[in-house]
Amino acid sequence: MPDSLAYAALNPTESFVARHIGPNEAETAAMLKVVGVKSVEELIRRTVPENIRVKMELAFPASPSEAAFLGEARKISEQNQVWRSCMGMGYYGTFTPPVILRNVLENPGWYTQYTPYQAEIAQGRLEALLNYQTMVIDLTGLPVTNASLLDEGTAAAEAMGMLFASRSDENRKVFLASSRCHPQTLAVLQTRAEPMGIFLKIAEVKSQVDADVFGVLLQYPDGFGAVENPSALIAALKKSGVGVAMATDLLALTLLVSPGELGADIAVGSAQRFGVPMGYGGPHAAFLSTKDEFKRQMPGRIIGVSVDRHGKTALRMALQTREQHIRREKATSNICTAQVLLAVMAGFYAVYHGPEGLRRIARKTHGLARLLDVALSSLGYQQENAAYFDTLKIRLPNKDKLKDLRARAEAARINFHYAEDGSIGISMDETCRLENVAEIVAVFASVLGKKSPTVSEFEKSAEGLTSSLPENLQRRTAILTHPVFNSHHSEHAMLRYIRGLERKDLSLTTSMIPLGSCTMKLNATAEMLPISYPGFSNLHPFAPVEQAQGYGKIFTDLERDLSDITGLPGTSLQPNAGSQGEYAGLLVIRAWHKSRGQDHRDICLIPSSAHGTNPASAAMAGFKVVVSRCDERGNIDLTDWKRLAQEHKDHLCCAMITYPSTHGVFEAGIVEACSIVHDAGGQVYMDGANLNAQVGLTSPGRCGADVCHINLHKTFCIPHGGGGPGMGPICVAEHLRPFLPGHPVVKTGGVKAIHAVSAAPWGSASILTISWAYIRLMGGANLKRATEMAILNANYLKARLEPHYPVLYQGENGTVAHEMILDCRSFKESTGVEVEDIAKRLMDYGFHAPTVSFPVAGTLMIEPTESEPKAELDRFCEAMISIREEIRAVQDGKLDRTDNPLKMAPHTSEEIGADVWTHKYGREMAAFPLPYVRKGKFWPSVGRLNNTYGDKNLFCSCPPVENAI
């Protein structure tokens, strides 16, 4: 053995892989023994079909250590030049309060939570989201909103879809979008409209519109900064039976009359400037609020107020029957991702500042814009916005001076918005100061050879300055009157409020979250740190690409690595959720067919086992969904698959396949399934939800896919953030590369690019750094090792739990992929215990439930990931086996059929500590069913939710004080 000092000197510190992969060498050997194989290699041979295994290793090297990686990441972030951004266009500088930065954005107690499907252990996050919804409702003046959408462009497109679905006259198919809207919003509308059968018209909106118009979109303030009173216009449009959506700005609405008061049906926009960094485009929480009559057409998730079994006020996701998981191709939308973490931050920003604090920020922003207006006008420049909030539209006296002005602005490291009509947009924001106004004026003065005022002269000219906002548009109604927005303005109070809510939520900081198809793996701290670096967090998405060389390096690396991993050479990083990736991939296929004169192809073939977003996305892309059967083993029934492909061969556009299957199996017939589709003239879209079982072992390209989307928040470690953010890049075969999504402001995509699918050119660019970090820290060989260990962990759980719960599907050699399905259906008839009871009882053991009743009703879908150590896997197994014994006790009559710990779960500390105990089982069994639970008990803050009550009594803003949570 080498001398320890010499070894230490010549070798780097312990590799990152040893920290990412849970089981060590000894634990791996013990697990292999339980599984019944001699090696990991043998397990993989038994699990992954030989004909799809890749022979070539992933070549990219691993960073030698976390410290070395962080040094590299810091240097790359510094290649981004963060200039003073005055570009506006929907993105603004903002200050993230440090108490929110440290305790929410950088806190794994908030960013490692899962979507709040298990409401009893998500009450803190649900309350934070309810604050966000209340904030949006108050500021927009519309009574119903959701828990956020992906970006402003997506929200506008969803509003268009809502108005289209709600129109009274089916002959109306034209949607009129104001030419004053942001260009990225118009591009997303163009993408969405055509597959839905909507004719999009972009023009100045007048009070008289054609009879075939069903809806309009206005921007308020408009994309050039102007503020005009649209109430008469809206009234005229409504009288003509036209629905009205308004894209707006939450900070401006603290001073302006709300869209609801103006008569709008829907309001959309972004909450980015409420404390969420620009991040070169995202992630940010978009909002959509509407009138009560549209609530069942609303996309996304709505947080509502309900009660638990004790009658205590409790929160949950309401109206879930609208979601695509249930509605499939009949769903309102394919959107299943909210931007929860960012919505939480924006809501906390409003809580921290309160109504008066927000108004102060808005008045300061408006005041600086007014000072700038006065100064530039005094120099002889024409300012075209008669009224404005934060943005001026400047016209040069001589167009020939535009090049000179731009050069001087760049020398001063200031970015303006240079519009196509020759005007210059200048936006103020929360981060601007008098000195910045002086710098801007100095640039404009130098172009004309004039002297610029000093800062002290600006201070003097600010005295007596009046608002530019029209009197009839100045807000008179109160905002944010609920006590939550008026109680936590000191740091102590805010810190305690945030921490109090965090304690009500189970996250990966508490225990394993074993959700199938969701891959709740380690989100390492070293991967997360770079998102807070100023070079990554403070860059405007439309800054010139020369100023974003660091991001360019990351995009190039990530596109190359994802292409190598998937075996598909073209990559777009633009889709900012898995649902957007599905949609983008399908549109790329559609565009390719159209380019070949095959635009009549409109059939999408999907197995019955598919995730609900697949048929929902296909319907949004304009396809007719044809569903293929699965056989008794859960695999695609290839006979039925071939029959349907041949039956529809003249119109088959594509097929959507998840691999390994949604049932957790590497189907041996995947290559044949892809060939059948190709032979019928279609393309194969592979859903990347289960890519964590493929990396380094096989690939979508090797299987025969033409397109694959990648849930970076699953396989590549972007945290789920309580239900978002996510990212869904797509990789495509060479013939599809020319059709990758473009963007109207920054050049992206292929030579025949489809329109943008997301508002920003590279989607939620700042969190791409996380996946880039994961790949850099792991390297190619260790990414393969992670896949192998994910499969081993799943098969270890299978071996331990199969004697107690039937495993519904498995491969030809008796193994599963990275996840498995436990069949719990037989318990209901013999004991009355349903799968939901098992899910709720797991909370008493300190665990989040696996995926419930998907893809088969009455089952649990479990995925351990590679990150969990053997001790945590064993703890989970002990809990599941103990619950099985409780079920057996009900069956044997030792526990009452209706009053037992499964039916009553979860149990709160308040119930356990009450003076009176009314149940037929003991408090000990209820609260501490196994010894380990005592060591770190997680207490659900409410009892089991009454779902029916919440849907019948929809209430989606903060409840009155007397009903406080």
Side-chain angles (χ1 to χ4, degrees), residues 23 26-36 792-793 796 870 873:
E27 292 169 344
T28 299
M31 292 164 66
L32 288 168
K33 188 174 182 181
V34 172
V35 171
L792 173 59
N793 281 1
Y796 176 69
K870 181 176 180 294
L873 300 178

Side-chain angles (χ1 to χ4, degrees), residues 562-581:
L562 294 179
S563 289
D564 286 348
I565 288 166
T566 61
L568 297 166
T571 301
S572 171
L573 301 175
Q574 188 180 115
N576 54 359
S579 56
Q580 294 283 63

Side-chain angles (χ1 to χ4, degrees), residues 563-599:
S563 289
D564 286 348
I565 288 166
T566 61
L568 297 166
T571 301
S572 171
L573 301 175
Q574 188 180 115
N576 54 359
S579 56
Q580 294 283 63
E582 289 183 17
Y583 183 62
L586 292 173
L587 290 184
V588 164
I589 291 173
R590 193 172 185 267
W592 177 73
H593 279 302
K594 189 173 183 178
S595 74
R596 302 166 66 247
Q598 298 282 303
D599 48 330

Side-chain angles (χ1 to χ4, degrees), residues 177-179 181-191 200 202 217:
S178 170
S179 53
C181 291
H182 294 310
Q184 67 272 19
T185 299
L186 296 175
V188 176
L189 289 175
Q190 287 175 306
T191 306
L200 179 68
I202 300 171
L217 176 68

